[in-house]
Amino acid sequence: MHPTEPHPARRPARLTAVMAAALLGLLLAALPATASTAPAAAGRHPVLQVAQRGPTTAAAGTTFRNPLNTGPDPFMTHWNGNYYLTSTQGDRVAMWRSPSLSTLLATDPVTVWTDGDSSRNQHIWAPEFYRFGAHWYLYYTADDGIDDHHRIYVLESDRDDPTGPYHFKAKLAPPNHANDFAIDASILQQNGKLYLAYSGINQYQHNGLNLAPMSNPYTVSGNAVAINAAGGCPEVREGPEFLYRNGRTWLTYSTCDTGKPDYQLWMMSLPAAADPLVPANWTQHQGAVFSRADDHGVFGPGHHAFFRSPDGSEDWILYHAKTTSAYTYGNRTTRAQKFTWRADGSPDFGRPLALGATQDLPSGDPGSGNYWINDDGRSSGPGGISFGGTWNSGTGCGTQCFWGDDHWIDQAGASATFSFTGTRIALLSVRDVGNGYAALSIDGGPEVRVDFYGSPRTGETVQYLSPRLPAGPHTLRVRVTGEHDAQSQASFVSIDRAEVYG
């Protein structure tokens, strides 16, 4: 599910917009546009179909763009005026809290759990948290450094707060799988009872879907039952999640290897009065319900969760996906989009939107005044960009770039300076095998060295997140150093978009 390199073959691992001022546009038009001179060593890809990024009239502050987080395996809920988000961090459980979806990326995480027990303090994956009574219960999987030793554990909060503090409560292991591999815990609530849903060993897959009864949020009270779920590939059935609507329970889950571009979601359903521990009661939906969208530059969408808008009127899906079709466990970032319901009562998740597509915030979300600045000078707020040096520009990066274009150069001393008004700025652009180092500075202050190298090539990657700044006007300067490390083929630096937080 989450490792940084492939696992042995026995078990595949999982490891819009407002135009800027006319004057700014005229100034940018005078800048050199020499895309045709880009050297092959820069690793530029051929022109791809550019995915629409959203309406150009959407007001800043009422919209957002993905990613919400740079980690995979996300889970989120909205409670008491805030969104709470977790994702896989590996060595700890971290949580991000924000009153608006639009500011989650710029929110500093709180570490809610680390563990001194060597049997369960490594490869900490896929945390999920639920409120039962006046306590929160946080479920996660961890091991001792050996993947097959992954087991499921639960924490209990000391107070009524998703961020804890937490104390260790129990190991969750059905009697018939007491010492077996288990990951991706989720909680099914059916007919007033609780059930542990997870991915683990059964007669169908090494990572197969299992359900076990629970007598309370921290006690498994019986054997697990295997669910023979379809998936379009033989590898895994993992990341089970549940929706409840109009007398049915919907079980959605991820299939295929998460390192592959074909990682996707499938679905089953259960009548409200049915016993979930009887496998025959589950009805299989045929075909993937959420899968890769090559024309949007989205690959491997999966390991998802669901949440409601702050006012409870909308349903949203949270998931991770990649901007590359390469087989890799890296570059999985957290994304969200709204979904609807069909006339037959089933969920309609639609197609994954392009990373960076501008969406309306969930209903009831207060917004934050955030906005974007594109590399060509377009902006949805008070911002712009100026270039020093002879930068290349063009649309060769296609779906891997915001608005389908970017600027790039390897000339030492060349610079790009964003002017913005806010309290924080994030820089997103291409990482590639021909990229090198840049030196970044805020308001002319000390420089921070950032490596733009990446393999495989990925787009709209978060390169830099500034420290928190006093509210007001600022600059972010990106200086090309002309240097690169040994694994890179050249010293290019790419400029795509900045996200400004107010």
Side-chain angles (χ1 to χ4, degrees), residues 105 285 346:
L105 183 65
H285 177 95
S346 64

Side-chain angles (χ1 to χ4, degrees), residues 97-150:
R97 174 178 58 200
S98 173
S100 176
L101 202 68
S102 62
T103 50
L104 275 167
L105 183 65
T107 299
D108 295 323
V110 175
T111 296
V112 300
W113 183 252
T114 58
D115 203 318
D117 188 324
S118 61
S119 70
R120 57 171 192 259
N121 65 358
Q122 298 187 55
H123 302 149
I124 300 173
W125 297 344
E128 299 197 1
F129 50 99
Y130 301 80
R131 184 174 184 258
F132 297 111
H135 294 280
W136 292 81
Y137 293 88
L138 195 154
Y139 303 84
Y140 67 99
T141 184
D143 66 23
D144 58 0
I146 299 174
D147 187 28
D148 258 351
H149 292 175
H150 266 105

